[in-house]
Amino acid sequence: MTIIYIDSLALLNLIINYLLLLATARIGGIGFNRWRVAAAALFGAGYAVMVWLPGFWFLSGFFWKALSCAAMAFIAFGGVRPARLARLGLLFIALSFLLGGAVLAIGLFMGEGVSGGVPYIPVDFKTLFLTAGLSYAVLTLAFKRLGRHGPGETADILAVWDGRHIRVRALIDSGHTLTDPISGAEVAVLDRAAALTLLPPDAAALIDGVLLRDAAGVMELMGSLGFGARFRLVPYRAVGVDCAFLLAFRPDGVTVGGKKRPGCLIGISPTPIAEGFDALVSPLQ
């Protein structure tokens, strides 16, 4: 007879789910909201507990497991485009298989294992954290190379404003289709810190001193500095954001991968760009 300790079951699955979702975001090359990732991990842990409650054993079936994975991917990354969300969901499932195999292997080695189709280690919390930590290490080492972006997926972006210029590494994302609804110009997205080094001191100080999430408020203040004609608001959607406005500006010129992007605007990201990059651009034309 197997004795299931619900607290250990929930905690282990919460840790594993959180690590899996983090790995999915990093390998998928997207930004993420840690609160949404945590909420998705908590949902998965709740599902793991439900499987063992009387009257809910049917949830251990393949259909319900697949539905649970889809729900977790949606909770964590629901702000991205449907096609990309589907790819992230499949990546999450693939990583789940890999990590599940690692957990099973370590569990068997230590005389423990998996029960009811969900990772379970009885009550030894040292074993619990060791299993989760070693599994994540295996996952990270196995996919470290795959998580890197090739030459065709990255490029240097050069932006110029009144003699000042910056050159940063940009991620080329086929899912990035942000454009200015008025002019139709494409909008590259730049990390806030990088943007502050490019903008005139007065404008940079204003952005640095005001919450960038209040893009409309910053836009109004820009007019008082005489920069109103260079700035505009661009509607966008992102992970955790149904609809908002991105503060964007028109530099003197933008070059991506050595090729000029005439009319390209630069949006200032209120959150970090993908890990290892300071800008996000659409594919080279």
Side-chain angles (χ1 to χ4, degrees):
M1 178 179 177
T2 301
I3 299 177
I4 301 299
Y5 294 86
I6 295 299
D7 55 348
S8 298
L9 175 71
L11 181 58
L12 177 61
N13 279 272
L14 177 64
I15 294 171
I16 289 178
N17 291 336
Y18 188 77
L19 296 177
L20 279 170
L21 291 165
L22 284 184
T24 300
R26 288 171 177 168
I27 293 172
I30 67 166
F32 56 90
N33 182 305
R34 289 186 180 273
W35 288 110
R36 290 193 62 160
V37 171
L42 185 61
F43 174 88
Y47 165 77
V49 170
M50 289 287 290
V51 168
W52 287 100
L53 295 180
F56 292 94
W57 294 334
F58 67 92
L59 292 176
S60 63
F62 174 81
F63 170 78
W64 293 103
K65 288 180 181 179
L67 187 62
S68 174
C69 287
M72 290 173 66
F74 180 78
I75 294 171
F77 315 118
V80 301
R81 292 176 177 275
R84 193 168 194 188
L85 179 61
R87 290 196 295 270
L88 290 170
L90 291 175
L91 176 59
F92 173 64
I93 292 174
L95 295 181
S96 298
F97 278 115
L98 176 64
L99 188 55
V103 170
L104 177 60
I106 294 174
L108 292 176
F109 177 77
M110 304 185 75
E112 299 163 346
V114 173
S115 297
V118 294
Y120 174 71
I121 296 178
V123 290
D124 188 342
F125 281 90
K126 289 183 179 180
T127 302
L128 185 151
F129 287 111
L130 178 62
T131 301
L134 289 179
S135 298
Y136 184 61
V138 170
L139 180 66
T140 301
L141 290 174
F143 282 88
K144 187 175 182 180
R145 285 191 155 292
L146 292 179
R148 296 175 180 172
H149 296 275
E153 299 175 291
T154 66
D156 285 337
I157 178 171
L158 173 67
V160 181
W161 178 311
D162 290 341
R164 290 177 297 275
H165 71 277
I166 59 166
R167 185 188 298 272
V168 297
R169 198 66 176 164
L171 174 63
I172 301 174
D173 183 7
S174 59
H176 178 70
T177 57
L178 187 63
T179 58
D180 176 21
I182 298 177
S183 65
E186 65 172 311
V187 181
V189 178
L190 190 63
D191 179 77
R192 173 174 174 163
L196 292 180
T197 64
L198 176 65
L199 294 172
D202 289 348
L206 178 60
I207 293 174
D208 198 30
V210 178
L211 289 177
L212 193 57
R213 293 184 184 277
D214 182 19
V218 177
M219 181 68 183
E220 290 182 9
L221 294 175
M222 282 297 174
S224 65
L225 295 178
F227 297 122
R230 299 288 291 266
F231 283 82
R232 63 193 64 188
L233 298 177
V234 178
Y236 78 102
R237 297 182 64 185
V239 177
V241 179
D242 292 329
C243 185
F245 289 98
L246 189 70
L247 183 67
F249 62 90
R250 178 171 48 83
D252 294 333
V254 175
T255 301
V256 178
K259 297 183 179 180
K260 292 184 178 181
R261 296 282 184 100
C264 181
L265 301 177
I266 292 181
I268 307 174
S269 176
T271 58
I273 307 295
E275 186 175 0
F277 299 92
D278 291 313
L280 186 66
V281 297
S282 57
L284 295 174
Q285 298 174 337

